[in-house]
Amino acid sequence: QVQLVESGGGLVQAGDSLSLSCVASGRTIRTYVMAWFRQAPGEEREFVAGISWSGQSTRYADSVEGRFTVSRDNYKNTLYLQMNSLKPEDTAVYYCSARENIVIRTTDSEYDYWGQGTQVTVSS
């Protein structure tokens, strides 16, 4: 079992930056694909960014490409999401997830473990 705990959410203004972290415990995530998803009120959960076990491969949603950066530190068992140039439409609960596989997928049903989420609110 893997437990994931996100932190770093908050209320910011449009154009600001915010950094999220996700600490894993229970088992090492060294061989897991990790990803960030988000869910806005009334919307389905959507893929934001994913990263391979080595960190050498990443994948982003078109809506965040060029503004968000996903990274990981396997020694610290931690996943990160650096969010720059935030927009009001980025407002959502952000979830960390882990997948016992080597391929980055964009569908939430493909992921095995989930955190409880952290709220990000961007005001205009």
Side-chain angles (χ1 to χ4, degrees), residues 21-97:
S21 298
C22 171
V23 178
S25 61
R27 291 176 63 180
T28 178
I29 59 169
R30 192 176 304 133
T31 59
Y32 288 34
V33 161
M34 302 292 294
W36 291 97
F37 285 75
R38 67 186 181 187
Q39 188 168 22
E43 303 288 333
E44 293 187 352
R45 188 158 53 185
E46 64 173 0
F47 175 82
V48 175
I51 187 167
S52 64
W53 69 269
S54 66
Q56 292 186 331
S57 179
T58 58
R59 187 170 179 178
Y60 295 92
D62 291 343
S63 58
V64 307
E65 181 83 54
R67 299 188 297 122
F68 290 11
T69 302
V70 60
S71 62
R72 66 191 295 167
D73 185 333
N74 287 339
Y75 293 102
K76 295 183 178 179
N77 252 16
T78 303
L79 175 72
Y80 304 97
L81 184 67
Q82 177 64 40
M83 304 184 291
N84 298 329
S85 303
L86 282 161
K87 303 175 181 180
E89 50 263 45
D90 294 319
T91 295
V93 176
Y94 282 70
Y95 296 91
C96 169
S97 61

Side-chain angles (χ1 to χ4, degrees), residues 94-106:
Y94 282 70
Y95 296 91
C96 169
S97 61
R99 181 168 191 262
E100 294 184 67
N101 202 285
I102 62 173
V103 180
I104 302 171
R105 297 293 192 192
T106 61

